[in-house]
Amino acid sequence: MPDLRSLDLNLLVVFQYLMEDRNLSAVARRMGLSQPAASNALRRLRATLDDELFVRTPQGMLPTPYAQHLAGAVAESLGMLAHALEASPGFDPASSTRRFRVAMTDVGEIHFMPGLMDRLAREAPAVRIESVRLQGAELQRELDAGHVDMALGAFQGLGGGLLQRMLFRQGYATLFRRGHPTAHEGMGLKAFRAERHLVVSHAAPYGQVNQALEKAGLMLASHFSVPHFAAVPYIVSTTDLLATVPRKLADSAAERFNLRLLTPPLRVPALQSNLYWHRRFQRDGGNQWLRALIVDSYAQR
């Protein structure tokens, strides 16, 4: 058996075209080669396979028995390779049962998951999304390994091998219950500091709001705290606490929990939410489809 490492794939293309055309000049034109280059390719192929392969006759270049033996396998292999190289494998959302693992924060789940579930129910009824809670180096490793398909939201510390698409930027708003005795839109920093606050202690990657609160003079340790955003609207709606949260969460919670909101008298950097995926899956059909769906649903126009 010939050593496959010594076999140039282009020589198999010459072989295939000679099987079809039986004319070396026609093969040279088809491949954009000079006549000497095509002759040299055939000479190399003969040496590699140790067979004459094609013999010149009045009827053209006719294959030897060994060439006829190879013909079917070469044609099938080249056809399969050409098909594989044409495009990434197709993905049919209407019939797929694929399960995507998407990294989100808790506030990301609140914002993204309801809309994604609605779109999937209408366009891909058997496709499922599993939200996973990962950050930093651990998230990077899982994306690198392909165990997580993409990350969606405001993440920090992601780097090599990843591609990203910005979805939107947002500021912050402060939630308070309707009927709160002192809180109101336009309140100054001194009055704002005097209120009791609910702090989200594990707010990464939204920690800049806590830094802004401390810089404004609030001693966070003297206020109430919860580890995540999910409980915030439930607590604020039944107490006189104020909670400063990402604007999209505030808008959604205000409507559902009968809350009001004010612009906090703080300087807080805008929060940017991105879509991240590994470049290894840039051409994966399912990954492409879900990315397009997310961008269509959530990207800032």
Side-chain angles (χ1 to χ4, degrees):
M1 178 178 176
D3 186 350
L4 292 179
R5 292 174 297 179
S6 66
L7 185 61
D8 184 341
L9 180 62
N10 287 313
L11 300 182
L12 293 183
V13 178
V14 171
F15 177 92
Q16 176 64 23
Y17 286 175
L18 268 173
M19 287 296 301
E20 296 171 0
D21 297 338
R22 308 297 170 92
N23 184 291
L24 195 58
S25 296
V27 170
R29 289 192 298 272
R30 194 170 172 183
M31 296 187 68
L33 301 175
S34 66
Q35 180 75 29
S39 297
N40 182 56
L42 178 56
R43 187 163 47 249
R44 290 171 56 205
L45 187 59
R46 284 167 169 166
T48 301
L49 299 180
D50 194 24
D51 189 86
E52 194 67 14
L53 296 175
F54 295 92
V55 179
R56 194 179 303 278
T57 74
Q59 291 76 40
M61 301 284 287
L62 296 184
T64 66
Y66 183 56
Q68 290 177 318
H69 165 73
L70 292 176
V74 170
E76 182 179 2
S77 299
L78 289 177
M80 291 175 63
L81 182 58
H83 177 72
L85 293 174
E86 279 177 2
S88 58
F91 178 79
D92 178 18
S95 60
S96 176
T97 58
R98 184 163 168 177
R99 188 179 191 90
F100 293 93
R101 301 184 81 228
V102 181
M104 303 183 205
T105 63
D106 66 324
V107 70
E109 288 170 344
I110 294 169
H111 181 66
F112 294 115
M113 284 297 279
L116 289 177
M117 290 176 178
D118 180 62
R119 288 288 298 267
L120 293 186
R122 290 185 280 116
E123 301 173 31
V127 170
R128 294 292 178 265
I129 292 179
E130 176 188 352
S131 174
V132 295
R133 201 67 59 78
L134 297 169
Q135 292 283 344
E138 185 181 10
L139 175 55
Q140 179 79 48
R141 285 194 300 270
E142 293 295 283
L143 287 165
D144 289 343
H147 298 155
V148 170
D149 294 286
M150 58 192 71
L152 183 55
F155 288 95
Q156 298 168 339
L158 298 181
L162 299 185
L163 301 173
Q164 61 180 282
R165 185 354 172 136
M166 192 196 84
L167 296 176
F168 53 81
R169 291 188 179 94
Q170 61 176 317
Y172 288 81
T174 300
L175 290 169
F176 59 97
R177 70 172 179 86
R178 192 175 295 274
H180 191 289
T182 51
H184 59 87
E185 177 60 272
M187 68 188 303
L189 180 58
K190 183 177 180 180
F192 185 81
R193 275 202 308 256
E195 297 290 343
R196 294 185 305 153
H197 292 260
L198 178 64
V199 177
V200 180
S201 56
H202 295 173
Y206 309 96
Q208 63 260 46
V209 69
N210 289 347
Q211 295 171 12
L213 288 169
E214 288 186 320
K215 192 172 181 180
L218 274 79
M219 299 292 294
L220 299 189
S222 66
H223 293 272
F224 294 93
S225 69
V226 291
H228 305 294
F229 284 101
V232 167
Y234 293 92
I235 297 171
V236 171
S237 65
T238 57
T239 67
D240 284 338
L241 298 177
L242 274 58
T244 302
V245 301
R247 182 76 194 209
K248 289 185 182 294
L249 173 62
D251 289 339
S252 174
E255 181 179 347
R256 288 175 171 81
F257 289 86
N258 197 29
L259 301 174
R260 302 190 68 181
L261 50 87
L262 60 89
T263 303
L266 307 169
R267 282 174 161 251
V268 189
L271 185 66
Q272 181 170 308
S273 291
N274 296 335
L275 173 61
Y276 301 87
W277 67 98
H278 202 281
R279 66 174 63 253
R280 291 198 297 124
F281 301 98
Q282 170 72 359
R283 297 186 66 198
D284 174 77
N287 198 289
Q288 287 180 323
W289 171 80
L290 184 56
R291 294 196 317 258
L293 185 145
I294 290 169
V295 169
D296 180 64
S297 299
Y298 296 104
Q300 208 165 38
R301 304 300 182 218

